[in-house]
Amino acid sequence: MDVYGTARGPLARLAGPPAARARERRHQLFLDLTRITPATRIVDIGCGALGLRALAPELDITGVDVVDRPDYPGPFVRADATERLPFDDDAFDLAYSNSVIEHLPGDRRVAYAEEIKRVARGHWIQTPAFSFPLEPHALLPLAHWLPRPLRRAYWHLGAAGSWEPDLALLRRRELTRLFGDPVVAERLGPLAKSWIAVRAPAPQAG
């Protein structure tokens, strides 16, 4: 799987293989912490072209994205998770969101979190850590720590392409405030590379 399929330039080509290996390790952590089975009903919020299905095509996954995905290989709904999703309360066992919330405007993140918690009994919310020194979208050291005017100029040297003014990486306390504990660290050596808010769905009675 091409992790940096939408990125550009030599940075993306160099980062692709190690990023793919890291994503496979993250997927194993996902399986270990959520204890899902093929019977688990999952909604992939911000699924993109494949999302979780690229790693687990055998699972029961419904994709959700803000743009149409006509080639998505499974049930798909075009919807905005910062608004009300077209699902009943607890319609799913688990909501999955991988590297999505950092792209949302700060004032929409609470609505996003509340809607995820409404439609699913458990969740897996991954987002890159603000404290990690490499900005993972542009693949530039320290880019996310710069003041916005400097960051915007620097950004164009990286792999991400277009500038996203709303992109802002989260600190652990911010993810905890939105989803509660536990929030676990995905680490690269001693450093937290990303934060993951995870709550395994409790077994349903009966």
Side-chain angles (χ1 to χ4, degrees):
M1 182 175 59
D2 186 358
V3 175
Y4 289 107
T6 60
R8 63 180 189 179
L11 287 176
R13 290 192 293 272
L14 288 171
R21 292 192 293 271
R23 187 159 291 187
E24 290 172 1
R25 291 193 296 271
R26 181 185 301 160
H27 182 64
Q28 187 58 55
L29 182 64
F30 165 70
L31 296 175
D32 292 343
L33 293 181
T34 60
R35 304 189 299 275
I36 60 170
T37 73
T40 305
R41 298 163 300 162
I42 301 170
V43 59
D44 185 351
I45 307 292
C47 62
L50 285 173
L52 181 58
R53 280 194 174 275
L55 292 166
E58 75 284 0
L59 295 180
D60 179 0
I61 303 167
T62 297
V64 172
D65 211 330
V66 295
V67 298
D68 285 324
R69 300 289 182 181
D71 297 325
Y72 185 79
F76 175 82
V77 174
R78 180 180 176 179
D80 185 343
T82 67
E83 306 293 341
R84 187 172 178 85
L85 292 169
F87 305 121
D88 293 335
D89 294 358
D90 294 336
F92 297 93
D93 299 310
L94 186 84
Y96 176 93
S97 174
N98 189 74
S99 295
V100 173
I101 195 169
E102 71 271 13
H103 295 273
L104 300 178
D107 61 353
R108 301 305 298 157
R109 293 177 181 182
V110 171
Y112 183 82
E114 291 304 312
E115 195 60 3
I116 282 175
K117 290 183 286 187
R118 182 186 70 80
V119 302
R121 298 184 300 109
H123 56 254
W124 167 278
I125 313 297
Q126 182 274 342
T127 188
F130 178 84
S131 57
F132 193 70
L134 182 69
E135 204 294 321
H137 303 87
L139 300 176
L140 292 171
L142 316 182
H144 52 305
W145 295 351
L146 296 174
R148 179 170 287 198
L150 293 178
R151 190 189 325 158
R152 181 169 188 169
Y154 184 35
W155 193 265
H156 295 293
L157 301 176
S162 60
W163 163 251
E164 289 187 64
D166 291 324
L167 177 63
L169 305 192
L170 283 76
R171 296 168 172 83
R172 185 188 188 280
R173 66 177 179 271
E174 294 172 296
L175 200 60
T176 303
R177 185 166 61 245
L178 291 167
F179 291 98
D181 282 321
V183 170
V184 302
E186 178 188 19
R187 295 192 177 276
L188 183 62
L191 301 177
K193 182 175 179 289
S194 70
W195 301 117
I196 302 165
V198 56
R199 177 170 297 174
Q204 289 183 302

